[in-house]
Amino acid sequence: MKLAVAFLATIGAAAAFAPAANTVARTSALNMVQVLDLKTGQSQLDTSVVDRFNALPYPDDKVLAEYVWVDAKGECRSKTRTLPVARTEAVDKLPRWNFDGSSTGQAPGDDSEVILRPCRIFKDPFRPRSDGLDNILVMCDTYTPAGEALPTNTRAIAAQAFDGKEDEEVWFGLEQEFTLFNLDQRTPLGWPKNGVPSRPQGPYYCSAGPENSFGRAVTDAMYRCCLYAGIEISGTNGEVMPGQQEYQVGPCVGIDAGDQLFMSRYILQRVCEEFQVYCTLHPKPIVEGDWNGAGMHTNVSTKSMREAGGLDIIKKAIYKLGAKHQEHIAIYGEGNELRLTGKFETASINDFSFGVANRGASVRIGRDTEAEGCGYFEDRRPSSNADPYLVTGKIMATIMEDVEVPEIAPLDREEA
């Protein structure tokens, strides 16, 4: 289901490690396990061996903290440190850390130190423990040693848009679509190698059955991990193109939507690492043929939009979004022009439109919101690889402007 309900209801190298024929074979993570396609350059690990080490107990006075940050390409990086329990009780007690920014495209080699500032704590679903303590994931943003936000620190940009507007209680619900591929990075799950599915789009959306649903185990594992971590993940579903999936995060208040969405992306990549599948957030991973792209539809609701008369406020916000359409498109994701074509449930990237229940419009108002006269709207323009900090911050800045803009005629149908 989409986020409407949430808003309204609040490796070949293995042979090199094989034992010689005249030796006694010992238990090995690479022993007696089928090797994956040589093209992947990786081999499966025997989980029983991995589990043997994972069963070792943690010290009762220490916690592992995985510091996560966004690199110059908008992808998540991370590294781990050991901390005393007392330093992990609150985000403001966590120490700042640093990394080599020259290796992530965020600093020159002759002055490469970048500072990590902890912003948000989540439980670590990949290192659970049974002693009453939690290892943690830490969402961080990035600064120079002098304390200046890096140009790639989009969280700092978004924070400026939200600062001082806490009374607006703005909710965001982010619908993250993604596509799962085999490790060749060319063949989506469920697709024949060097070919296309025998059936067109239609039977795959929200589907069941081995002929329709591909990647459910990956999505379900990610779902459980996000719930464990404390992310407000509100649902998942199979998407229109085979191999494409979606999950929804929210409602989240203000900048926390960006924190949670980026951490959910990190968790998704970690889960795909375990399953040895490739996940892409490209908005149009298959450009030949009649296949849907992938987006990050963004649902928005301020306090006044949820109150009586909120529909008028929603429409005024939409008019403001229309007046700055190109500004928003500029930060709504790379490659979005391949997706926003006016086909496959999208509006043209060149034109702004809105409508009730119209998934071919730039912005959609739900039937329930129309009927109740209050609620939320859905900006359908952001791509699946869009930066959630930039998207939510830009929307906030635009709809909060005290300006008069022309009204826009809706693209509505007479009946549902």
Side-chain angles (χ1 to χ4, degrees), residues 198-254:
S198 60
R199 296 174 299 159
Q201 292 187 159
Y204 312 107
Y205 173 69
C206 294
S207 64
E211 76 280 16
N212 296 322
S213 181
F214 313 103
R216 186 190 300 275
V218 176
T219 303
D220 281 355
M222 180 276 307
Y223 199 167
R224 291 283 294 270
C225 285
C226 285
L227 288 171
Y228 182 93
I231 289 172
E232 294 292 337
I233 184 170
S234 51
T236 67
N237 60 267
E239 264 302 333
V240 177
M241 190 184 83
Q244 189 182 79
Q245 300 280 326
E246 178 189 304
Y247 64 92
Q248 303 93 36
V249 171
C252 302
V253 178

Side-chain angles (χ1 to χ4, degrees), residues 139-325:
M139 195 69 223
C140 305
D141 60 356
T142 51
Y143 293 83
T144 68
E148 298 177 353
L150 295 191
T152 56
N153 184 349
T154 55
R155 189 184 194 278
I157 297 172
Q160 296 175 9
F162 294 112
D163 187 38
K165 299 180 178 63
E166 290 76 14
D167 291 344
E168 296 292 338
E169 296 179 15
V170 60
W171 294 356
F172 291 100
L174 307 176
E175 303 175 20
Q176 178 67 69
E177 294 177 337
F178 58 96
T179 310
L180 299 174
F181 281 69
N182 289 273
L183 283 178
D184 60 6
Q185 300 185 28
R186 295 172 54 87
T187 311
L189 296 193
W191 290 49
K193 191 171 184 178
N194 299 320
V196 297
S198 60
R199 296 174 299 159
Q201 292 187 159
Y204 312 107
Y205 173 69
C206 294
S207 64
E211 76 280 16
N212 296 322
S213 181
F214 313 103
R216 186 190 300 275
V218 176
T219 303
D220 281 355
M222 180 276 307
Y223 199 167
R224 291 283 294 270
C225 285
C226 285
L227 288 171
Y228 182 93
I231 289 172
E232 294 292 337
I233 184 170
S234 51
T236 67
N237 60 267
E239 264 302 333
V240 177
M241 190 184 83
Q244 189 182 79
Q245 300 280 326
E246 178 189 304
Y247 64 92
Q248 303 93 36
V249 171
C252 302
V253 178
I255 201 166
D256 194 42
D259 290 339
Q260 295 206 34
L261 200 282
F262 260 124
M263 188 57 75
S264 74
R265 287 180 176 178
Y266 173 76
I267 290 174
L268 173 61
Q269 293 291 352
R270 288 286 302 271
V271 168
C272 287
E273 179 184 325
E274 295 287 341
F275 280 91
Q276 288 289 281
V277 296
Y278 170 70
C279 174
T280 180
L281 300 183
H282 194 284
K284 195 71 172 179
I286 304 296
V287 296
E288 297 182 0
D290 295 333
W291 306 104
N292 272 34
M296 188 187 72
H297 301 155
T298 302
N299 300 272
V300 186
S301 180
T302 63
K303 182 179 180 181
S304 58
M305 292 178 186
R306 298 188 293 272
E307 297 174 343
L311 184 56
D312 287 337
I313 296 172
I314 288 172
K315 289 181 178 179
K316 290 179 180 179
I318 291 173
Y319 302 154
K320 294 177 184 179
L321 292 173
K324 291 194 171 185
H325 175 60

Side-chain angles (χ1 to χ4, degrees), residues 317-359:
I318 291 173
Y319 302 154
K320 294 177 184 179
L321 292 173
K324 291 194 171 185
H325 175 60
Q326 293 304 327
E327 289 185 22
H328 282 257
I329 289 297
I331 57 95
Y332 272 12
E334 184 177 353
N336 213 11
E337 72 281 357
L338 300 174
R339 166 179 166 264
L340 295 181
T341 63
K343 299 169 62 178
F344 310 115
E345 300 182 337
T346 71
S348 169
I349 196 170
N350 299 311
D351 304 310
F352 182 87
S353 59
F354 86 97
V356 175
N358 188 346
R359 284 181 164 79

